[in-house]
Amino acid sequence: MSDAHDEHESLIKTPQQLIAVVVLSFVVFVGLAILVAQFVSSGIKGAQDGSAEATAKAIQPVARVELGAAESTGPKTGEQIYTASCAACHDTGAAGAPKKGDQTAWAPRIATGLEALVKSALNGKNAMPPKGGNAALTEEEITRTVVYLANQGGAKFAEPKAAEEKK
Ligand code: HEC
């Protein structure tokens, strides 16, 4: 009886060690799997659409600095900047943001004038962070984006010229 009991106890130690080894190798395996999955999916996303911009967008949360470098290769349209930096709030109305194309929401804001709207976008307003949270944007880019966004809501602001053409 007591022999059987001892034997039972000594048997348990090995499975515990086994379990520890199994758990450890599982953790390592999952870690590797996540790395591989991220590598593969970013490769696929980039390959699907081939463009540097699509790749930059796919990796945006991990590599904002790289995105900033990619942006400097040419001026972006207000719509492109809007999609990248403003749509999260202004497409959905999140945090009370006036929705793109909602003329009722935009009319009183448009009435304050482009300059006031640009100032709000540059400095932030209530729930909106300065520059929509994308500090890499220049004042000119913000202006272009505000013009785009406000015009979708019924304004008729003129798209600002590129910096060198400004009076
Ligand atoms: C985190 C959410 C969020 C993001 C991102 C965001 N906004 Fe906003 N935006 C808001 C909210 C909320 C308001 C309403 C602020 C208020 O009047 O209380 C607003 C208001 C505005 C207004 C009207 C300001 C005024 O004076 O009435 C403009 C113009 C604007 N946003 C432009 C932009 C632009 C351009 C971007 C991207 C560069 C952007 N927003 C990104 C949340 C956001």
Side-chain angles (χ1 to χ4, degrees), residues 98-139:
K99 275 203 203 177
K100 184 181 91 171
D102 181 344
Q103 306 211 352
T104 319
W106 278 101
R109 296 178 191 271
I110 290 164
T112 66
L114 179 58
E115 215 172 297
L117 296 180
V118 169
K119 209 168 147 230
S120 298
L122 277 175
N123 301 328
K125 187 177 182 189
N126 297 323
M128 175 163 63
K131 296 184 173 181
N134 186 350
L137 294 174
T138 65
E139 180 169 348

Side-chain angles (χ1 to χ4, degrees), residues 45-118:
K45 273 184 207 145
Q48 267 173 355
D49 182 329
S51 74
E53 196 194 328
T55 308
K57 256 191 200 150
I59 60 170
Q60 182 176 17
V62 225
R64 269 200 183 275
V65 179
E66 284 230 29
L67 184 70
E71 269 169 1
S72 69
T73 57
K76 291 202 155 207
T77 67
E79 184 173 1
Q80 286 172 323
I81 299 167
Y82 171 81
T83 305
S85 301
C86 324
C89 294
H90 286 280
D91 265 5
T92 59
K99 275 203 203 177
K100 184 181 91 171
D102 181 344
Q103 306 211 352
T104 319
W106 278 101
R109 296 178 191 271
I110 290 164
T112 66
L114 179 58
E115 215 172 297
L117 296 180
V118 169

Side-chain angles (χ1 to χ4, degrees), residues 10 21-22 95 155:
S10 71
V21 169
V22 168

